[in-house]
Amino acid sequence: MSRVHDVIRRYKASVEIVRNGVEIFVVGDPAGARLNAAVRRLIYTVTENGSDVWSDLLRAANALRWRRMMQPQPGGFHPAVTEAASAVVREAHMLRGAVADEVLLEEIAAAAKGVRQTDSPVGHELWRSIEEADPSICAVVASSNRARAGLQEWLNSLSVPVLLPGELGDVKERVEQLYVAGPPSFFPPSLVTAPAAGELTFLMPAWFGHRAIPVSRLADQADGAMKARVKERTVGDLSEPESAVSDDELIEDTYYPQPVWRGRISGDREPERDEVEARKILLAGNRAIWLDDGDRIRALDPRQPEGERVTYAAVEDVVPGTYLVLRHGETELGAMYEAALHLLGPRAGAIEATQRVWKAALEARLANRGVRASIVELRARGVRSAARVRAWTEATLISPKHESDLVLLLEWLGLAVEPSHQNAMALRRAVYRASADLREELEDAVSRADLAALERDGHMSLGIERAGFRSMVVARVQARSPYTEIVPRLHTRTPFSDRSGEWLE
């Protein structure tokens, strides 16, 4: 479908949405309502007491509540709910005798068991609505990769596609009805303002009170801004337990599982010789990495066609939802460097020698002038990536990204440009060749992998036969730290166990 054709189709869908309005099915969910009331009481208790003793229980309970709301498929297609519910019961049991409010512990454990034992009525209503409308003209919108994977497995027998909000340009022309699994406030305004189908329905549990549809921030200032009517329809048992905590008492209830960041501990000092500023990246599978300020990192896009899935992502573009391809025990960069030297054959010794000379000279200059002063001098000479000068002393980091920066750097060091410049470029080309060979092997491994399981679980291992690369893993980014820490350079880009992102989507 051409871009123009897609725009025309969306304008037509907008007309239909304005004419018919947006439907919201508010579905009674007594088990979910009981859990919601217990979680709100737990949030209030944590806020009032200011204690971390409840934090593990709260994160598990909030994740369970979120999954109940945003992933309404039955339990047989929903191991994530079983996982979270079991964790809530376990954490509540561990706190017995450690906290005063035993009644709250009993209530939240009982509520978790109730959710584990009952299917979401929202899911039942979604299935019924699709069958009533005709599955061949329907599509479902999910909030996350994990939600989509579970919903797609459940809806496969109806042949109904499940998409993320950013993929609605892929909606087929035959689709007339979009069902959105979750409250409107957790989805972008474009679902309503640039609809991909003429009929739009949100399905949500009654215990979530905010039902306004999302609007653009510019809607109030725009002439003729699109405003759709909301048609609310209630379904099922709407009874809820009496809440012990009012909205006024509960300062903040985010619903969406949040990462816990402890704050920077490195202070304002400069990194030492073998250290680097890096951000903590939380990954699916209870892993994390320290991501430095390098140019790029190997990634995977499971939505691309076979042969085009393994690629590179710019470091600044590594955000939640990105899939990273990582090597256990050592960074890929070190292994690629060794592979490149092997490809260079007898030339490798001379090339390594010139690399050692200019890197040693750079190390001495940094020790003498200081990193900050050196960055200022290099920028004055026109070196574009001067901020990375400390990283250039690393043996496996071949040269600055820009070839002209290396020339300017060598001149600043008082060294002859050649043969150091040409040798560095030859080594870089060899690394590219080695990286391309690995990419082909990774593509082959990915073609044999279960990508549906990857989207559901967020991580998987890759079977690579090459020596030194047998322990490769793909993991989805769950969260990115808002600040950097100073860490040993050897610790960057290497996965390590970390449960901080256990309950993130």
PDB file of all heavy atoms in Angstrom, residues 305-324:
ATOM      1  N   PRO A 305      11.900  -9.270   7.776  1.00  0.00           N
ATOM      2  CA  PRO A 305      11.921 -10.554   7.057  1.00  0.00           C
ATOM      3  C   PRO A 305      13.201 -11.326   7.333  1.00  0.00           C
ATOM      4  O   PRO A 305      14.219 -10.762   7.750  1.00  0.00           O
ATOM      5  CB  PRO A 305      11.818 -10.133   5.582  1.00  0.00           C
ATOM      6  CG  PRO A 305      12.272  -8.714   5.545  1.00  0.00           C
ATOM      7  CD  PRO A 305      11.885  -8.116   6.859  1.00  0.00           C
ATOM      8  N   GLU A 306      13.158 -12.615   7.082  1.00  0.00           N
ATOM      9  CA  GLU A 306      14.312 -13.483   7.308  1.00  0.00           C
ATOM     10  C   GLU A 306      15.516 -12.985   6.513  1.00  0.00           C
ATOM     11  O   GLU A 306      15.400 -12.615   5.353  1.00  0.00           O
ATOM     12  CB  GLU A 306      13.963 -14.918   6.889  1.00  0.00           C
ATOM     13  CG  GLU A 306      15.034 -15.935   7.213  1.00  0.00           C
ATOM     14  CD  GLU A 306      14.580 -17.357   6.931  1.00  0.00           C
ATOM     15  OE1 GLU A 306      13.372 -17.637   7.057  1.00  0.00           O
ATOM     16  OE2 GLU A 306      15.450 -18.185   6.585  1.00  0.00           O
ATOM     17  N   GLY A 307      16.663 -12.976   7.161  1.00  0.00           N
ATOM     18  CA  GLY A 307      17.882 -12.489   6.543  1.00  0.00           C
ATOM     19  C   GLY A 307      18.170 -11.031   6.815  1.00  0.00           C
ATOM     20  O   GLY A 307      19.262 -10.536   6.517  1.00  0.00           O
ATOM     21  N   GLU A 308      17.200 -10.311   7.392  1.00  0.00           N
ATOM     22  CA  GLU A 308      17.368  -8.879   7.657  1.00  0.00           C
ATOM     23  C   GLU A 308      17.079  -8.534   9.119  1.00  0.00           C
ATOM     24  O   GLU A 308      16.851  -7.375   9.458  1.00  0.00           O
ATOM     25  CB  GLU A 308      16.435  -8.061   6.753  1.00  0.00           C
ATOM     26  CG  GLU A 308      16.689  -8.257   5.277  1.00  0.00           C
ATOM     27  CD  GLU A 308      15.708  -7.482   4.417  1.00  0.00           C
ATOM     28  OE1 GLU A 308      15.061  -6.541   4.951  1.00  0.00           O
ATOM     29  OE2 GLU A 308      15.570  -7.805   3.224  1.00  0.00           O
ATOM     30  N   ARG A 309      17.124  -9.546   9.988  1.00  0.00           N
ATOM     31  CA  ARG A 309      16.725  -9.309  11.380  1.00  0.00           C
ATOM     32  C   ARG A 309      17.876  -8.840  12.257  1.00  0.00           C
ATOM     33  O   ARG A 309      17.677  -8.082  13.189  1.00  0.00           O
ATOM     34  CB  ARG A 309      16.115 -10.592  11.953  1.00  0.00           C
ATOM     35  CG  ARG A 309      14.801 -10.967  11.282  1.00  0.00           C
ATOM     36  CD  ARG A 309      14.288 -12.300  11.766  1.00  0.00           C
ATOM     37  NE  ARG A 309      13.007 -12.638  11.134  1.00  0.00           N
ATOM     38  CZ  ARG A 309      12.687 -13.842  10.714  1.00  0.00           C
ATOM     39  NH1 ARG A 309      13.559 -14.845  10.826  1.00  0.00           N
ATOM     40  NH2 ARG A 309      11.514 -14.072  10.159  1.00  0.00           N
ATOM     41  N   VAL A 310      19.076  -9.326  11.992  1.00  0.00           N
ATOM     42  CA  VAL A 310      20.236  -8.958  12.811  1.00  0.00           C
ATOM     43  C   VAL A 310      20.842  -7.687  12.241  1.00  0.00           C
ATOM     44  O   VAL A 310      21.196  -7.626  11.064  1.00  0.00           O
ATOM     45  CB  VAL A 310      21.279 -10.087  12.843  1.00  0.00           C
ATOM     46  CG1 VAL A 310      22.481  -9.669  13.688  1.00  0.00           C
ATOM     47  CG2 VAL A 310      20.660 -11.363  13.399  1.00  0.00           C
ATOM     48  N   THR A 311      20.967  -6.681  13.083  1.00  0.00           N
ATOM     49  CA  THR A 311      21.430  -5.377  12.618  1.00  0.00           C
ATOM     50  C   THR A 311      22.215  -4.707  13.731  1.00  0.00           C
ATOM     51  O   THR A 311      22.611  -5.344  14.700  1.00  0.00           O
ATOM     52  CB  THR A 311      20.225  -4.521  12.175  1.00  0.00           C
ATOM     53  OG1 THR A 311      20.693  -3.262  11.696  1.00  0.00           O
ATOM     54  CG2 THR A 311      19.250  -4.297  13.319  1.00  0.00           C
ATOM     55  N   TYR A 312      22.432  -3.416  13.604  1.00  0.00           N
ATOM     56  CA  TYR A 312      23.049  -2.624  14.662  1.00  0.00           C
ATOM     57  C   TYR A 312      22.102  -1.504  15.058  1.00  0.00           C
ATOM     58  O   TYR A 312      21.380  -0.954  14.211  1.00  0.00           O
ATOM     59  CB  TYR A 312      24.379  -2.022  14.212  1.00  0.00           C
ATOM     60  CG  TYR A 312      25.546  -2.981  14.288  1.00  0.00           C
ATOM     61  CD1 TYR A 312      26.008  -3.626  13.148  1.00  0.00           C
ATOM     62  CD2 TYR A 312      26.184  -3.240  15.494  1.00  0.00           C
ATOM     63  CE1 TYR A 312      27.079  -4.508  13.208  1.00  0.00           C
ATOM     64  CE2 TYR A 312      27.245  -4.121  15.573  1.00  0.00           C
ATOM     65  CZ  TYR A 312      27.692  -4.741  14.435  1.00  0.00           C
ATOM     66  OH  TYR A 312      28.742  -5.616  14.503  1.00  0.00           O
ATOM     67  N   ALA A 313      22.095  -1.153  16.330  1.00  0.00           N
ATOM     68  CA  ALA A 313      21.332  -0.018  16.827  1.00  0.00           C
ATOM     69  C   ALA A 313      22.310   1.016  17.367  1.00  0.00           C
ATOM     70  O   ALA A 313      23.294   0.665  18.026  1.00  0.00           O
ATOM     71  CB  ALA A 313      20.374  -0.451  17.932  1.00  0.00           C
ATOM     72  N   ALA A 314      22.061   2.279  17.068  1.00  0.00           N
ATOM     73  CA  ALA A 314      22.855   3.342  17.675  1.00  0.00           C
ATOM     74  C   ALA A 314      22.638   3.307  19.184  1.00  0.00           C
ATOM     75  O   ALA A 314      21.519   3.049  19.650  1.00  0.00           O
ATOM     76  CB  ALA A 314      22.442   4.698  17.109  1.00  0.00           C
ATOM     77  N   VAL A 315      23.689   3.559  19.944  1.00  0.00           N
ATOM     78  CA  VAL A 315      23.586   3.469  21.402  1.00  0.00           C
ATOM     79  C   VAL A 315      22.471   4.365  21.932  1.00  0.00           C
ATOM     80  O   VAL A 315      21.709   3.971  22.834  1.00  0.00           O
ATOM     81  CB  VAL A 315      24.944   3.826  22.047  1.00  0.00           C
ATOM     82  CG1 VAL A 315      24.784   4.127  23.527  1.00  0.00           C
ATOM     83  CG2 VAL A 315      25.928   2.677  21.855  1.00  0.00           C
ATOM     84  N   GLU A 316      22.330   5.561  21.371  1.00  0.00           N
ATOM     85  CA  GLU A 316      21.285   6.474  21.861  1.00  0.00           C
ATOM     86  C   GLU A 316      19.878   5.981  21.522  1.00  0.00           C
ATOM     87  O   GLU A 316      18.896   6.453  22.103  1.00  0.00           O
ATOM     88  CB  GLU A 316      21.492   7.885  21.313  1.00  0.00           C
ATOM     89  CG  GLU A 316      21.441   8.016  19.807  1.00  0.00           C
ATOM     90  CD  GLU A 316      22.810   7.888  19.156  1.00  0.00           C
ATOM     91  OE1 GLU A 316      23.721   7.307  19.786  1.00  0.00           O
ATOM     92  OE2 GLU A 316      22.960   8.376  18.013  1.00  0.00           O
ATOM     93  N   ASP A 317      19.771   5.026  20.592  1.00  0.00           N
ATOM     94  CA  ASP A 317      18.454   4.496  20.201  1.00  0.00           C
ATOM     95  C   ASP A 317      18.078   3.232  20.964  1.00  0.00           C
ATOM     96  O   ASP A 317      17.039   2.629  20.683  1.00  0.00           O
ATOM     97  CB  ASP A 317      18.438   4.190  18.697  1.00  0.00           C
ATOM     98  CG  ASP A 317      18.540   5.453  17.851  1.00  0.00           C
ATOM     99  OD1 ASP A 317      18.178   6.525  18.353  1.00  0.00           O
ATOM    100  OD2 ASP A 317      18.994   5.362  16.697  1.00  0.00           O
ATOM    101  N   VAL A 318      18.903   2.806  21.913  1.00  0.00           N
ATOM    102  CA  VAL A 318      18.589   1.629  22.723  1.00  0.00           C
ATOM    103  C   VAL A 318      17.583   2.050  23.784  1.00  0.00           C
ATOM    104  O   VAL A 318      17.915   2.735  24.754  1.00  0.00           O
ATOM    105  CB  VAL A 318      19.854   1.040  23.368  1.00  0.00           C
ATOM    106  CG1 VAL A 318      19.495  -0.083  24.326  1.00  0.00           C
ATOM    107  CG2 VAL A 318      20.800   0.527  22.283  1.00  0.00           C
ATOM    108  N   VAL A 319      16.322   1.660  23.577  1.00  0.00           N
ATOM    109  CA  VAL A 319      15.215   2.055  24.444  1.00  0.00           C
ATOM    110  C   VAL A 319      14.397   0.812  24.779  1.00  0.00           C
ATOM    111  O   VAL A 319      14.601  -0.262  24.181  1.00  0.00           O
ATOM    112  CB  VAL A 319      14.328   3.112  23.752  1.00  0.00           C
ATOM    113  CG1 VAL A 319      15.098   4.397  23.513  1.00  0.00           C
ATOM    114  CG2 VAL A 319      13.779   2.566  22.425  1.00  0.00           C
ATOM    115  N   PRO A 320      13.472   0.900  25.748  1.00  0.00           N
ATOM    116  CA  PRO A 320      12.616  -0.247  26.032  1.00  0.00           C
ATOM    117  C   PRO A 320      11.952  -0.778  24.767  1.00  0.00           C
ATOM    118  O   PRO A 320      11.388  -0.017  23.976  1.00  0.00           O
ATOM    119  CB  PRO A 320      11.596   0.334  27.024  1.00  0.00           C
ATOM    120  CG  PRO A 320      12.360   1.385  27.755  1.00  0.00           C
ATOM    121  CD  PRO A 320      13.250   2.005  26.708  1.00  0.00           C
ATOM    122  N   GLY A 321      12.040  -2.081  24.585  1.00  0.00           N
ATOM    123  CA  GLY A 321      11.506  -2.719  23.380  1.00  0.00           C
ATOM    124  C   GLY A 321      12.580  -3.137  22.401  1.00  0.00           C
ATOM    125  O   GLY A 321      12.351  -4.004  21.547  1.00  0.00           O
ATOM    126  N   THR A 322      13.779  -2.534  22.484  1.00  0.00           N
ATOM    127  CA  THR A 322      14.889  -2.934  21.630  1.00  0.00           C
ATOM    128  C   THR A 322      15.391  -4.325  22.038  1.00  0.00           C
ATOM    129  O   THR A 322      15.487  -4.619  23.221  1.00  0.00           O
ATOM    130  CB  THR A 322      16.056  -1.932  21.750  1.00  0.00           C
ATOM    131  OG1 THR A 322      15.596  -0.617  21.444  1.00  0.00           O
ATOM    132  CG2 THR A 322      17.200  -2.306  20.806  1.00  0.00           C
ATOM    133  N   TYR A 323      15.688  -5.157  21.054  1.00  0.00           N
ATOM    134  CA  TYR A 323      16.281  -6.470  21.327  1.00  0.00           C
ATOM    135  C   TYR A 323      17.785  -6.395  21.076  1.00  0.00           C
ATOM    136  O   TYR A 323      18.215  -6.061  19.965  1.00  0.00           O
ATOM    137  CB  TYR A 323      15.666  -7.549  20.428  1.00  0.00           C
ATOM    138  CG  TYR A 323      14.250  -7.924  20.784  1.00  0.00           C
ATOM    139  CD1 TYR A 323      13.179  -7.261  20.199  1.00  0.00           C
ATOM    140  CD2 TYR A 323      13.992  -8.943  21.697  1.00  0.00           C
ATOM    141  CE1 TYR A 323      11.865  -7.602  20.524  1.00  0.00           C
ATOM    142  CE2 TYR A 323      12.694  -9.294  22.023  1.00  0.00           C
ATOM    143  CZ  TYR A 323      11.628  -8.618  21.429  1.00  0.00           C
ATOM    144  OH  TYR A 323      10.335  -8.954  21.753  1.00  0.00           O
ATOM    145  N   LEU A 324      18.588  -6.704  22.093  1.00  0.00           N
ATOM    146  CA  LEU A 324      20.031  -6.692  21.958  1.00  0.00           C
ATOM    147  C   LEU A 324      20.568  -8.114  21.809  1.00  0.00           C
ATOM    148  O   LEU A 324      20.039  -9.049  22.409  1.00  0.00           O
ATOM    149  CB  LEU A 324      20.678  -6.034  23.179  1.00  0.00           C
ATOM    150  CG  LEU A 324      20.289  -4.574  23.449  1.00  0.00           C
ATOM    151  CD1 LEU A 324      21.025  -4.058  24.675  1.00  0.00           C
ATOM    152  CD2 LEU A 324      20.568  -3.692  22.232  1.00  0.00           C
TER     153      LEU A 324
END
